[in-house]
Amino acid sequence: MCQLLGMNCNTPTDIVFSFTGFSTRGGLTDEHKDGWGIAFFEGSGVRLFVDHQPAVSSPVADLIKSYPIKSKNVIAHIRKATQGEVMLENCHPFVRECWGRYWVFAHNGDLKNFAPALNGSFLPVGTTDSEQAFCYLLQQMRSRFGEVMPGMSELADFMREITAEIAAFGTFNMMLSNGEALFAHCSTKLHYIIRQYPFPVANLSDEQMTVDFSQVTTPNDKVAVIVTEPLTDNETWTQFAPGQMTVFVDGDVVQFASAGGAA
Amino acid sequence: MCQLLGMNCNTPTDIVFSFTGFSTRGGLTDEHKDGWGIAFFEGSGVRLFVDHQPAVSSPVADLIKSYPIKSKNVIAHIRKATQGEVMLENCHPFVRECWGRYWVFAHNGDLKNFAPALNGSFLPVGTTDSEQAFCYLLQQMRSRFGEVMPGMSELADFMREITAEIAAFGTFNMMLSNGEALFAHCSTKLHYIIRQYPFPVANLSDEQMTVDFSQVTTPNDKVAVIVTEPLTDNETWTQFAPGQMTVFVDGDVVQFASAGGAA
């Protein structure tokens, strides 16, 4: 199994604090040592850093920890290989373009006998079940909506359907972002927290590190952090229910009227 | 205008020496200060580093210079913005997937009134003529050959045609790699060198730096370096002719029998 970390904010925010605790699990406080990766949206662009070295000893991870890249949407992943060899092409997150935007995806879990029919519009480069699932999801999304990206509510309905369909093949904890929204699906384990005014002092559980968020934020900032296991030991994290698919936009959970519901 | 650097080898080779000289042109010995990028193939995977800061002052460029990533195919670019703002999504190289492989592309030059009909299979995320050209090239390649990547000779014929077609709209010095071959097209300025046994001592023109390649290579190594302006002042570089499209595989120029020719 692997671990996932996501961040969705209303203002570009650096993820150094959370990434520091998270990357410690990549070989030091936990066994996820078969590579790691992190993708930052910056405007419409994406910076993707992937490495098949353990996150704790990777010079690229050191760069991330010392060089605060500010982003409104970040997805990170540390890998414990289950399917697919330890090779660069198997490191998450994966990136593809659809509708003239980048889509970033990372997955934790294991899919069994998952061999979706891929028509060639999006094909995996590596050998993981995860990249297969990502390509299938994009293919279905593209063929469902055609030439133009639909509104967020339709997109959320689609994500709810497709994640449930894929999750039927095994464990499908996943995060997906198009730079605007972050979609998170939980099969077994995922937590989130919304940090906003008044900002707390937070204390990492994996490292001796504390940050007073009130010193580095403005009262209008809103930051959602989504992660496999809570990163801090003095805040209250919300646990996802199995099968839950939640959409984060501008640092908050988006609530949609239920399909067909009106009052 | 921008500058391009490519490397194609028969054995994974680090590009620190060439990139050091090249990145100096990103704001110090030359004016290409509107961002830069470099993509390394590693197996089927790609590491892409892009930055809209000048290459001379970018912490990410420092990482590349101090952390030798070995690769058989590398494409790098330093940018002097002509079309498209200085934003991350406009930094070359661009990456897309086709036929389950990554394709990496960088362009130097300016295309005028270039507005190809794009069917949506590959769409630009940023606002450059370069990314448009890349998407158009991939779309045409995909629709010409269908589901399966053709052999190198057919692919080279296609590249010769499509680069000539695009170059009719302006200046199209470009490099494209699928991790196996590096295709280079020259409109105005491009040079290459094949380094092989006996390896020389090379002397950078842009920085005080010398390397004795015989100390860091084996007699079987073959390394093609392709660049806008020669990087060393004590070696003989071959200049591309305008309109020339050359394919590099395993560190050497690939010669194809002319179409229809047989003996």
Side-chain angles (χ1 to χ4, degrees):
Chain A
M1 298 286 282
C2 313
Q3 292 208 13
L4 297 170
L5 168 65
M7 182 178 75
N8 169 278
C9 326
N10 66 350
T11 188
T13 302
D14 90 57
I15 198 170
V16 168
F17 176 74
S18 297
F19 183 72
T20 299
F22 184 69
S23 65
T24 304
R25 297 176 186 173
L28 203 62
T29 59
D30 211 333
E31 58 170 5
H32 306 90
K33 57 174 180 39
D34 298 326
W36 65 281
I38 187 166
F40 302 82
F41 276 92
E42 204 174 305
S44 313
V46 168
R47 285 177 203 270
L48 172 68
F49 299 91
V50 280
D51 209 346
H52 44 48
Q53 298 185 58
V56 283
S57 56
S58 158
V60 190
D62 286 344
L63 173 80
I64 311 289
K65 280 185 267 184
S66 60
Y67 176 41
I69 295 169
K70 295 203 167 196
S71 173
K72 289 169 73 175
N73 282 282
V74 178
I75 294 179
H77 182 270
I78 44 179
R79 181 156 185 255
K80 170 83 184 70
T82 50
Q83 290 187 33
E85 281 181 74
V86 181
M87 296 186 300
L88 191 65
E89 59 265 39
N90 287 340
C91 290
H92 308 219
F94 301 101
V95 181
R96 291 289 189 282
E97 170 266 315
C98 183
W99 296 316
R101 324 175 61 126
Y102 292 120
W103 296 73
V104 168
F105 170 90
H107 167 221
N108 145 356
D110 220 359
L111 302 172
K112 306 282 186 205
N113 306 313
F114 180 66
L118 297 177
N119 64 20
S121 51
F122 302 93
L123 291 175
V125 173
T127 54
T128 62
D129 52 350
S130 310
E131 195 183 8
Q132 276 216 319
F134 179 38
C135 290
Y136 177 67
L137 184 157
L138 292 177
Q139 168 185 304
Q140 297 305 94
M141 182 178 83
R142 184 72 167 68
S143 75
R144 168 84 62 98
F145 298 110
E147 299 300 306
V148 181
M149 189 171 86
M152 195 52 74
S153 166
E154 276 180 277
L155 210 47
D157 284 344
F158 168 79
M159 292 299 170
R160 211 163 283 121
E161 276 173 48
I162 193 87
T163 52
E165 180 189 335
I166 297 171
F169 290 87
T171 309
F172 194 57
N173 301 303
M174 75 102 207
M175 294 185 195
L176 173 70
S177 178
N178 63 358
E180 182 187 354
L182 192 151
F183 305 89
H185 178 266
C186 171
S187 277
T188 53
K189 201 179 279 184
L190 212 52
H191 297 78
Y192 75 88
I193 196 167
I194 308 289
R195 293 200 182 107
Q196 56 191 318
Y197 185 83
F199 284 92
V201 174
N203 190 41
L204 281 186
S205 2
D206 296 77
E207 283 225 346
Q208 292 286 341
M209 186 172 172
T210 294
V211 69
D212 181 355
F213 285 116
S214 69
Q215 300 297 311
V216 290
T217 50
T218 73
N220 298 324
D221 290 6
K222 233 174 187 183
V223 178
V225 177
I226 307 104
V227 68
T228 303
E229 291 282 5
L231 288 164
T232 55
D233 53 20
N234 66 332
E235 296 178 294
T236 307
W237 293 74
T238 304
Q239 183 158 8
F240 280 64
Q244 183 179 338
M245 202 292 298
T246 296
V247 186
F248 298 86
V249 174
D250 288 336
D252 211 343
V253 171
V254 187
Q255 307 289 356
F256 296 100
S258 63
Chain B
M1 298 288 281
C2 314
Q3 292 208 13
L4 297 170
L5 168 65
M7 184 178 75
N8 169 277
C9 325
N10 66 349
T11 188
T13 302
D14 91 57
I15 198 171
V16 168
F17 176 74
S18 296
F19 183 72
T20 299
F22 183 67
S23 65
T24 305
R25 297 177 184 172
L28 202 64
T29 59
D30 210 333
E31 56 170 7
H32 307 90
K33 57 177 179 37
D34 298 326
W36 65 281
I38 188 166
F40 302 82
F41 276 91
E42 205 175 304
S44 314
V46 168
R47 284 177 203 270
L48 172 67
F49 298 92
V50 281
D51 209 345
H52 45 47
Q53 298 184 57
V56 283
S57 55
S58 159
V60 189
D62 286 345
L63 173 81
I64 311 291
K65 281 184 267 184
S66 60
Y67 175 41
I69 295 170
K70 297 203 168 197
S71 173
K72 289 169 73 174
N73 281 282
V74 178
I75 294 180
H77 181 269
I78 44 180
R79 183 157 184 253
K80 171 81 184 68
T82 50
Q83 291 187 33
E85 282 181 73
V86 181
M87 297 186 300
L88 190 66
E89 60 265 40
N90 287 340
C91 292
H92 309 218
F94 301 101
V95 180
R96 291 290 188 283
E97 169 266 315
C98 182
W99 295 316
R101 326 176 59 125
Y102 292 120
W103 296 74
V104 168
F105 171 89
H107 166 221
N108 145 0
D110 221 359
L111 301 172
K112 306 284 186 200
N113 306 314
F114 180 67
L118 297 177
N119 64 19
S121 51
F122 302 93
L123 291 175
V125 172
T127 55
T128 61
D129 52 351
S130 309
E131 195 184 6
Q132 276 215 321
F134 179 39
C135 290
Y136 176 67
L137 183 157
L138 291 178
Q139 168 185 303
Q140 298 304 94
M141 182 177 84
R142 184 73 166 69
S143 76
R144 168 84 62 96
F145 298 110
E147 300 300 306
V148 181
M149 189 171 86
M152 196 52 75
S153 167
E154 277 180 276
L155 209 49
D157 284 343
F158 168 78
M159 292 299 171
R160 212 164 281 122
E161 276 173 50
I162 193 89
T163 52
E165 180 190 335
I166 297 171
F169 290 87
T171 308
F172 194 57
N173 302 304
M174 75 102 209
M175 293 184 196
L176 173 70
S177 179
N178 64 358
E180 181 187 356
L182 191 151
F183 305 89
H185 178 266
C186 172
S187 277
T188 54
K189 201 179 279 183
L190 213 53
H191 297 78
Y192 74 89
I193 196 167
I194 309 287
R195 294 200 182 107
Q196 56 191 315
Y197 186 82
F199 284 92
V201 173
N203 189 42
L204 281 187
S205 0
D206 295 77
E207 283 223 349
Q208 293 286 341
M209 187 174 172
T210 294
V211 70
D212 181 356
F213 285 116
S214 69
Q215 300 298 310
V216 290
T217 50
T218 73
N220 297 325
D221 290 4
K222 235 176 186 181
V223 178
V225 177
I226 308 104
V227 68
T228 303
E229 291 281 5
L231 287 164
T232 54
D233 53 20
N234 66 332
E235 297 178 293
T236 307
W237 293 74
T238 304
Q239 182 158 9
F240 280 64
Q244 182 179 339
M245 203 290 298
T246 295
V247 186
F248 298 86
V249 175
D250 288 335
D252 211 342
V253 171
V254 186
Q255 308 288 358
F256 296 100
S258 62

